[in-house]
Amino acid sequence: MATLSLALVQVQVAPASAGGALGATPARTTQPPPSPHNPAAPNPSQAGLVPLPGVQSASTTITLLTGDTVTLSRAGNTHNYSVTASSVPRANGIAPPIDVTGQGKASGGLIGGLIAVPADAANLIAQGTLDSGLFDVAYRAENGLTTGPVPVVLHYSTKDSKSDVAKQAKALPASTFESTIAGTNDVVVRVDLAQASTFWRAVTATAKVDTSTPEGRVQIGQPFPALQLTGGLQALWLQGHRLGDQAAPRAGSPLYDVAETIKAPTDADNWCAPQQPLCFEANFMMLGVSGNGAGNYYHATSISCVEGNPCTSYRVHYSVPAGTYQVNGKVWFVKDSHFTNLEITYPQLTVAGPTSLDRDANTARQLVVDTPDPTETYSNGMMNYRGLPDGRYFGDLTFNPYGDQGWWELPTPPVTQGTFHLGQALLLGQPPVTMNVTSPQRMTLQATYSMYTTYPTDPRGSIRFSGDHTWPVVYVGEGNPDDYTGKDVTGKLVLIRARHYAYCLVYKDQIQLAKQNGAVGVLIDPTDPYQPTGSCLIPMYPSWWKQNHGDGMPVDLPYAEVPQSEAQTLIDLLGHGTVKVAVHGNGLTPYLYQTNTYQETRVPDSLQLSYGRNQFALGRDSYHSAEPGSLFKEWGAWRPDEHVVAGSAFDQQAMPVSLKEYSGPVTPDLVRLETVEQTTSAGTAVLQSFNTYPAPGDSSTTNWGSGPLAPGAVIASQSALDAQPGTWVGVNGQAFCSYCRQGDALYSSMYLMDGSSPQVHNGPWYFTDTHLYSGGQEITAAPVNGQPAFTLPAAAAKYRMTADGGNLHNEWSFVSSRPTTDQVPTGVTCIGTFFGDAAPCRADPLVFLRYDAGLSLDNTVAAPGRQPLTVTAYHQDPAAPAITGVTLWTSVDGGATWKRANLHRAGDGSYRTTLNLPAVAKTDGFVSLRAEATDADGNSIRQTIDHAITLTSRK
């Protein structure tokens, strides 16, 4: 049950320590887990470019001890991150939701980390046996503990001898014994995060629970039963980062009992399991808003069933000092065979003595978002954000899997202290498949795939229905060989029941047998009375997504799953004659709706939201690629008063592709970060764009992964600076300054830019083959603050710098001197400032070039023919000298001969020309570019891009 969503979190991040540089990491996917591919890399033509050491990658993936992953994508240079989470299925075939909690300062920055906890680890953290520092993704990102082996301390019982403890630790899989700790029964092991889930299974087991007790009865039917540590282990924590209990009331404060009673739903169709109306997450807590407990978390002391069998009411107890609190908790129930979330949040409760709070699940309201086009939820991020009167904040985010995204809330009164808002960030798209029973009666089926995309670059994908068809249905039980005896399924759909006593998987042989017997497709019935919930939950994943279940290749036959109640209706109808089902395979979605909604001060009485097209901004986004691949995209959007913001993500879309992307409702103070990872056989390129949304009803065009790419600078978004004054400046600029001079250090870093969408950037990078000259003498490069740099004399002098890598060859001439005042362009950050250097900084007047060649989606241009091309010369600093001239030459024979282009000035440093391209057979298959540009002070660039444009024969 893949978890995929996103949140934008403002996190104060310190520079990585020596040896802990955060490099770019592989793109992650929702389930199935990603197959091995090259690490993150720019376009293959950019050999010789290296990420900046000690500067966190634009996208960093952290593997949790459970095997789940969390990815931080940076907006701004210090404390703004989008967060995506992807969980892996556990032994029962279900992947848990992941909660992310953080507390921060009014100015941004975290207090106590950013803690990402899968639901099945929550009870161990609440008990204190598993330290929350293990799941502090901000700390791990800052310190390079992302995907490599991480040091974990294992605390064993004092009854065991040191030799026994060492022996037990050495026997653990997926880890390497490092040492024992003197004077303790503690052992340090390094966990191989590539096999983290194996380690997790080895150190945990389902806890033994007496289900006759009030507390034990809550565990009946739980999809994520309480766990305990095994093998004599008593505690685990991350070496060097043990957070411990964060509840620390003022000394001498008396503690009072708070009893929260939750009435169960009366409709058994909306129960979690036949014997359990609600299933509880262990992470119930109270958050101190004011008073003696302000700023602290207080975990529930007990959760029990207090009435009825099955339970009709539950009670959660807390022990807290006097004050005002927010009460947080989540439960689950099953609706139409789908896992459904009910948030039990109460944003303001005053405690002055023993206190009771009554909640009724029957009053819950479902979040429903209506859009102009047919949609279903692809991903969601739910958030409640609590601002304290002293300016601190709590953020609580929940990320849920595709298919498990029904969300319900209990209405509450408004807050009178601090602030509160409930936020939702949803990604909606066209339903991948629709099905309807056409005879003997009409009925709509809620057909679901295992995932909304097909995993185009992963051989473990799944086959989809395509086109419009109407087929008869045949029921074949569990789809075993004997189930086909005497049944003709040729040209028909087969309805197959989930296998009893098995993981809730769609098994490969079930699909293979259906294909061998002539079926055209499969419907999966999730019914399994041996599961705690009475059936498997939808979506069920194919067995070939799990390790040790075959060769990992899908069967060439489409299948979809239907809820248990609908499957039973089909079986009942088949008892009376022929049943036909109309199937419409929609293919990959041509549009997306990315929504950001907010409910202020309270949870309202209605969460039915309906939006018209004029409330959305339209983005016409094209994702270019020279070869077939896949893209991952995440959106983060936040307002000026927000620090932790839920968002959304889109995974494993086949590319190249163009999409209509509607975003809204749009407000003038809403700022967005878009991060795109494009994966092909060459690796993964990470691209970002930071901006505001177009006005409601307006549209914009963005090209991702187009070219040709050239070294350049990010020009900060003025609209973002205007929307949130003072936020995206200084150390938290929107990007790093390119080739900036700070004190006597000239830092040789830059971004790769594409002229068709100059707001999209890739980097920062530096050329390993960089040379700087002055007065005919080469200046030796010497790192400053660990960054590639040159140390220059204070006086003004003229310099020549060359930088070569892959197909890029650059030569700059410019004047530089020690800055006496800070002149860095607004909205960007000098590298030295990031590392604590307070010296004045300035963008040296290097001239940059970018090119818009109008490339097609596959990054080619058809020949023969005429092709427009625009070349733009610019500086990073808008106050730099004006561009006075640009010259361009082209070559179609690999640089043997060059032809000067006829350029026409278009304003703002841009020049246009039209290329007259011969037939491909008369070229080397490419157009190479050579350009020169100068400004009014004589600063200049001479740049050659070999094979800049790929030619293809015009059809």
Side-chain angles (χ1 to χ4, degrees):
M1 191 173 295
T3 298
L4 176 63
S5 192
L6 165 147
L8 186 83
V9 181
Q10 294 190 335
V11 183
Q12 187 68 39
V13 177
S17 58
L22 303 182
T25 57
R28 67 261 166 243
T29 68
T30 52
Q31 296 308 316
S35 54
H37 55 63
N38 295 338
N43 185 286
S45 64
Q46 291 133 29
L49 290 175
V50 180
L52 298 187
V55 176
Q56 189 172 325
S57 166
S59 185
T60 302
T61 298
I62 301 99
T63 302
L64 302 179
L65 198 66
T66 53
D68 310 305
T69 56
V70 175
T71 298
L72 304 180
S73 294
R74 190 180 70 246
N77 290 324
T78 55
H79 61 261
N80 302 279
Y81 279 87
S82 62
V83 180
T84 63
S86 177
S87 61
V88 296
R90 303 310 195 245
N92 61 0
I94 305 174
I98 295 178
D99 280 354
V100 177
T101 56
Q103 181 189 168
K105 308 169 188 176
S107 58
L110 287 175
I111 304 169
L114 183 66
I115 313 301
V117 180
D120 59 339
N123 77 294
L124 293 174
I125 289 178
Q127 294 168 6
T129 55
L130 197 66
D131 186 75
S132 59
L134 277 165
F135 297 88
D136 184 352
V137 292
Y139 175 87
R140 290 183 54 193
E142 293 162 18
N143 291 276
L145 302 173
T146 54
T147 56
V150 296
V152 175
V153 178
L154 312 178
H155 175 64
Y156 283 92
S157 168
T158 55
K159 297 178 182 179
D160 297 327
S161 67
K162 278 194 172 294
S163 60
D164 287 341
V165 165
K167 184 177 180 181
Q168 292 177 67
K170 290 176 181 179
L172 289 172
S175 63
T176 303
F177 175 85
E178 187 167 284
S179 65
T180 57
I181 299 177
T184 70
N185 259 25
D186 299 343
V187 176
V188 180
V189 299
R190 289 197 170 265
V191 178
D192 178 6
L193 292 179
Q195 305 178 65
S197 57
T198 300
F199 179 82
W200 178 251
R201 289 193 299 269
V203 298
T204 60
T206 301
K208 295 180 180 179
V209 175
D210 182 356
T211 56
S212 66
T213 66
E215 290 81 6
R217 287 172 60 190
V218 177
Q219 292 297 317
I220 297 173
Q222 288 282 355
F224 309 111
L227 297 178
Q228 64 184 20
L229 298 181
T230 62
L233 279 171
Q234 294 190 333
L236 277 77
W237 61 88
L238 185 64
Q239 186 182 36
H241 187 60
R242 191 174 186 182
L243 293 179
D245 187 357
Q246 297 185 48
R250 295 174 188 168
S253 301
L255 300 179
Y256 298 107
D257 178 69
V258 175
E260 180 184 17
T261 302
I262 302 169
K263 185 178 179 181
T266 56
D267 184 357
D269 288 340
N270 292 332
W271 284 8
C272 181
Q275 297 301 314
Q276 192 70 268
L278 295 175
C279 290
F280 278 70
E281 180 180 308
N283 204 25
F284 271 66
M285 64 176 67
M286 293 179 67
L287 316 174
V289 175
S290 64
N292 292 337
N296 290 311
Y297 298 92
Y298 295 88
H299 288 281
T301 57
S302 68
I303 302 175
S304 61
C305 173
V306 294
E307 189 177 2
N309 188 16
C311 259
T312 56
S313 63
Y314 303 85
R315 187 157 295 143
V316 185
H317 283 277
Y318 307 87
S319 184
V320 301
T324 301
Y325 295 86
Q326 174 167 306
V327 184
N328 273 8
K330 299 178 184 70
V331 297
W332 306 295
F333 61 94
V334 176
K335 187 173 180 63
D336 298 325
S337 300
H338 289 266
F339 208 51
T340 303
N341 304 269
L342 171 57
E343 187 168 51
I344 314 287
T345 293
Y346 198 80
Q348 186 167 310
L349 178 70
T350 300
V351 177
T355 305
S356 62
L357 174 65
D358 294 329
R359 312 305 306 278
D360 185 352
N362 294 287
T363 66
R365 301 291 188 265
Q366 184 179 12
L367 172 67
V368 177
V369 177
D370 292 325
T371 56
D373 295 298
T375 58
E376 69 172 39
T377 303
Y378 286 179
S379 73
N380 70 6
M382 303 298 295
M383 171 201 68
N384 70 69
Y385 171 85
R386 191 66 165 96
L388 279 59
D390 64 5
R392 288 178 291 174
Y393 68 89
F394 287 111
D396 181 21
L397 318 173
T398 301
F399 304 140
N400 294 290
Y402 172 69
D404 290 350
Q405 303 191 358
W407 195 271
W408 297 65
E409 298 275 348
L410 296 181
T412 70
V415 302
T416 58
Q417 294 185 31
T419 61
F420 169 81
H421 70 242
L422 179 71
Q424 306 87 26
L426 305 180
L427 185 69
L428 312 171
Q430 179 178 252
V433 64
T434 55
M435 293 188 183
N436 297 278
V437 177
T438 59
S439 65
Q441 66 184 47
R442 302 196 70 84
M443 180 179 76
T444 298
L445 298 177
Q446 299 179 60
T448 302
Y449 289 135
S450 298
M451 190 55 188
Y452 57 84
T453 56
T454 57
Y455 298 96
T457 60
D458 195 318
R460 297 165 296 174
S462 58
I463 307 302
R464 311 283 282 275
F465 290 99
S466 62
D468 293 301
H469 307 274
T470 298
W471 291 307
V473 178
V474 178
Y475 180 53
V476 293
E478 292 184 1
N480 297 317
D482 292 346
D483 293 320
Y484 287 91
T485 302
K487 296 175 181 176
D488 178 12
V489 301
T490 302
K492 301 174 184 178
L493 293 171
V494 293
L495 176 63
I496 297 178
R497 189 182 66 232
R499 283 184 174 156
H500 295 173
Y501 302 108
Y503 295 136
C504 283
L505 299 173
V506 177
Y507 284 87
K508 187 169 185 176
D509 67 286
Q510 291 177 304
I511 309 300
Q512 284 175 325
L513 282 168
K515 180 177 176 61
Q516 291 168 8
N517 281 277
V520 292
V522 176
L523 301 180
I524 300 295
D525 169 10
T527 301
D528 183 356
Y530 299 97
Q531 295 297 326
T533 57
S535 83
C536 294
L537 299 179
I538 293 176
M540 294 168 57
Y541 297 115
S543 64
W544 54 90
W545 284 9
K546 285 182 68 70
Q547 294 178 354
N548 304 319
H549 278 266
D551 59 8
M553 297 297 292
V555 180
D556 187 18
L557 188 71
Y559 77 88
E561 302 150 36
V562 296
Q564 179 185 18
S565 60
E566 294 178 4
Q568 186 58 52
T569 299
L570 290 175
I571 293 170
D572 292 343
L573 291 174
L574 285 167
H576 300 282
T578 300
V579 176
K580 292 186 177 181
V581 171
V583 178
H584 178 68
N586 291 320
L588 297 175
T589 185
Y591 54 81
L592 296 168
Y593 283 86
Q594 187 258 323
T595 69
N596 300 284
T597 62
Y598 305 91
Q599 286 75 45
E600 300 291 347
T601 75
R602 58 173 296 185
V603 179
D605 291 333
S606 174
L607 290 170
Q608 297 273 340
L609 308 175
S610 182
Y611 300 111
R613 203 176 297 280
N614 63 354
Q615 292 174 275
F616 291 96
L618 171 59
R620 301 180 185 277
D621 285 44
S622 294
Y623 301 89
H624 295 244
S625 182
E627 62 175 281
S630 65
L631 71 92
F632 171 94
K633 183 172 184 178
E634 56 188 13
W635 294 259
W638 61 105
R639 301 178 302 178
D641 62 341
E642 292 177 324
H643 297 277
V644 180
V645 183
S648 51
F650 185 50
D651 197 12
Q652 288 290 316
Q653 167 73 51
M655 67 170 191
V657 67
S658 292
L659 293 170
K660 292 182 178 180
E661 299 177 7
Y662 297 94
S663 299
V666 175
T667 59
D669 61 353
L670 198 64
V671 175
R672 65 172 172 175
L673 167 72
E674 297 173 281
T675 301
V676 170
E677 296 185 7
Q678 295 180 294
T679 300
T680 66
S681 62
T684 299
V686 181
L687 312 172
Q688 287 194 318
S689 174
F690 184 84
N691 214 324
T692 55
Y693 290 98
D698 287 353
S699 63
S700 62
T701 300
T702 305
N703 290 294
W704 301 88
S706 186
L709 295 177
V714 176
I715 308 301
S717 165
Q718 188 61 48
S719 63
L721 295 172
D722 294 340
Q724 299 182 4
T727 300
W728 307 104
V729 296
V731 74
N732 193 44
Q734 300 173 24
F736 288 113
C737 189
S738 294
Y739 294 112
C740 273
R741 172 84 179 257
Q742 188 161 22
D744 291 334
L746 173 66
Y747 291 98
S748 54
S749 60
M750 51 77 210
Y751 291 82
L752 294 170
M753 309 298 293
D754 157 42
S756 67
S757 292
Q759 75 274 25
V760 174
H761 56 270
N762 179 333
W765 304 92
Y766 73 93
F767 287 94
T768 55
D769 186 11
T770 301
H771 301 272
L772 184 67
Y773 305 88
S774 182
Q777 299 295 315
E778 182 169 2
I779 299 171
T780 302
V784 178
N785 290 313
Q787 301 303 302
F790 296 92
T791 299
L792 308 181
K798 190 168 185 178
Y799 295 90
R800 181 175 67 89
M801 182 169 64
T802 64
D804 297 277
N807 67 340
L808 298 172
H809 311 282
N810 311 276
E811 181 179 330
W812 286 278
S813 294
F814 60 98
V815 174
S816 181
S817 63
R818 178 193 294 167
T820 57
T821 60
D822 207 46
Q823 302 171 50
V824 66
T826 303
V828 298
T829 303
C830 281
I831 290 286
T833 302
F834 180 74
F835 286 93
D837 191 341
C841 184
R842 177 183 60 226
D844 269 350
L846 278 77
V847 178
F848 298 111
L849 295 168
R850 59 178 180 247
Y851 306 85
D852 180 2
L855 303 186
S856 61
L857 276 177
D858 64 356
N859 278 341
T860 65
V861 168
R866 293 167 59 83
Q867 181 68 24
L869 183 144
T870 300
V871 57
T872 300
Y874 66 102
H875 297 93
Q876 180 157 7
D877 186 352
I883 299 298
T884 55
V886 175
T887 307
L888 177 71
W889 296 266
T890 63
S891 173
V892 294
D893 57 9
T897 61
W898 293 91
K899 179 180 179 182
R900 183 168 176 170
N902 185 19
L903 294 177
H904 302 279
R905 188 186 298 269
D908 294 328
S910 293
Y911 295 77
R912 294 174 182 161
T913 188
T914 299
L915 305 180
N916 291 304
L917 301 173
V920 175
K922 297 181 180 180
T923 73
D924 66 343
F926 302 94
V927 177
S928 297
L929 300 175
R930 176 172 291 166
E932 294 181 358
T934 58
D935 68 15
D937 284 359
N939 303 299
S940 66
I941 182 175
R942 180 178 177 87
Q943 183 175 82
T944 300
I945 306 180
D946 301 326
H947 295 171
I949 301 170
T950 301
L951 300 178
T952 185
S953 295
R954 186 178 298 277
K955 296 180 181 179

